[in-house]
Amino acid sequence: MLEKELPGCLEPHFDTEAVQAAKQGMPNEDLLFETGEFFKAFADSSRLTILASLLHQELCVCDISAVVGMSQSAVSHQLRVLRNARIVKYRKEGKQVFYSVDDGHIEKIIQLTMDHLTEQEELR
């Protein structure tokens, strides 16, 4: 299916006040860059599957591997990406390491995204 072209301005112009207000409301470039990097970590279905497994309780790599059907090595690799993005955290208990989502914001981000996508499907 071809995407329809989005409408644009028919005549080049800009609203000085609107442009100035938008510029003043813009976050700084560093924060925008960090936000982009943060969302890149969500851009993989394997990582999202791992995150979904951690939304309700912490799990060790062995348990995550069993839930998501991936090798422990693959799970560990994806957890490293998520940990570096501060999306998951871990705690050690003896020789075991348990992973969980970093905080409640992560669950909200995932849930809001899924709500948005579900809502969009219902509107079609």
Side-chain angles (χ1 to χ4, degrees):
M1 178 170 90
L2 294 175
E3 292 288 325
K4 292 182 180 180
E5 187 173 326
L6 295 175
C9 294
L10 298 177
E11 294 180 23
H13 74 283
F14 64 91
D15 180 332
T16 306
E17 289 179 24
V19 170
Q20 190 60 33
K23 283 183 175 183
Q24 288 177 346
M26 290 287 290
N28 70 50
E29 286 187 33
D30 290 340
L31 182 57
L32 288 171
F33 178 81
E34 288 180 32
T35 302
E37 292 299 306
F38 177 81
F39 278 108
K40 281 182 189 179
F42 286 101
D44 180 279
S45 62
S46 296
R47 289 192 287 270
L48 285 172
T49 303
I50 290 168
L51 284 170
S53 75
L54 296 173
L55 286 178
H56 302 290
Q57 67 184 26
E58 65 180 11
L59 297 168
C60 69
V61 174
C62 297
D63 292 340
I64 297 169
S65 177
V67 170
V68 302
M70 295 168 57
S71 70
Q72 289 183 34
S73 174
V75 167
S76 292
H77 171 73
Q78 298 300 347
L79 285 169
R80 189 175 314 110
V81 172
L82 293 168
R83 193 177 68 239
N84 289 340
R86 300 183 324 204
I87 295 171
V88 299
K89 61 184 177 184
Y90 68 93
R91 72 173 181 85
K92 292 183 178 184
E93 188 175 295
K95 292 185 178 186
Q96 283 193 297
V97 178
F98 293 91
Y99 288 86
S100 60
V101 294
D102 190 64
D103 61 31
H105 295 113
I106 303 303
E107 183 175 356
K108 287 179 185 176
I109 291 166
I110 294 168
Q111 192 59 55
L112 282 171
T113 303
M114 290 181 177
D115 289 349
H116 172 73
L117 294 172
T118 302
E119 179 182 273
Q120 294 303 312
E121 279 297 313
E122 292 171 359
L123 294 175
R124 290 183 186 183

